[in-house]
Amino acid sequence: EPITGVSEDALWDAMVEKIKRPDKFLPVTEVSTVDKQSQSGPFVRRSMKFIGPGPLNGTAITENIYQDKSTGEIRFVILDASDKETDDEIVNAMHRNPIRIEYFKRTVHK
């Protein structure tokens, strides 16, 4: 479904806000973010506690988050117990013409 009444830049800014303020969009608490740098560029390491209903209630989630405005993707890469990236990532993708958002999970074999 196309999104109307908002510019591409404003929509992207709202999507980026979710990186450091997930509590505005998701049932989470104890949010912590740290800006980091790798050889491939900047990213954010985020940890939080999920407090929504269901089997994940009370679960601590740690992830590395990468954003690329040119592709319209924000990738949330889940970390394992030893802080290593897993093959699972949640993607928030902004599509253009018409403007819309897609959310999905994918497995990327590294």
Side-chain angles (χ1 to χ4, degrees):
E1 190 79 22
I3 297 171
T4 59
V6 65
S7 71
E8 183 179 306
D9 286 337
L11 181 59
W12 180 256
D13 290 345
M15 290 172 64
V16 169
E17 183 179 15
K18 185 179 177 187
I19 295 172
K20 295 201 175 180
R21 291 296 316 271
D23 52 308
K24 290 178 72 174
F25 304 89
L26 302 168
V28 296
T29 188
E30 300 176 28
V31 176
S32 171
T33 62
V34 178
D35 293 321
K36 298 247 184 188
Q37 184 70 35
S38 72
Q39 291 179 357
S40 58
F43 67 96
V44 173
R45 170 136 329 149
R46 180 174 79 185
S47 61
M48 59 192 175
K49 184 177 182 179
F50 184 77
I51 57 171
L56 292 179
N57 183 284
T59 301
I61 300 167
T62 303
E63 54 203 350
N64 289 339
I65 305 169
Y66 304 90
Q67 60 177 299
D68 184 344
K69 188 174 184 179
S70 67
T71 64
E73 282 193 355
I74 300 175
R75 300 181 305 112
F76 300 80
V77 182
I78 300 165
L79 304 183
D80 65 18
S82 60
D83 283 342
K84 301 285 186 224
E85 289 189 357
T86 66
D87 291 339
D88 294 324
E89 59 186 36
I90 307 298
V91 179
N92 294 182
M94 180 181 67
H95 298 287
R96 298 167 174 94
N97 300 317
I99 296 175
R100 59 204 186 287
I101 300 174
E102 179 183 13
Y103 300 98
F104 58 93
K105 181 178 180 179
R106 67 182 170 204
T107 300
V108 179
H109 300 288
K110 298 173 185 167

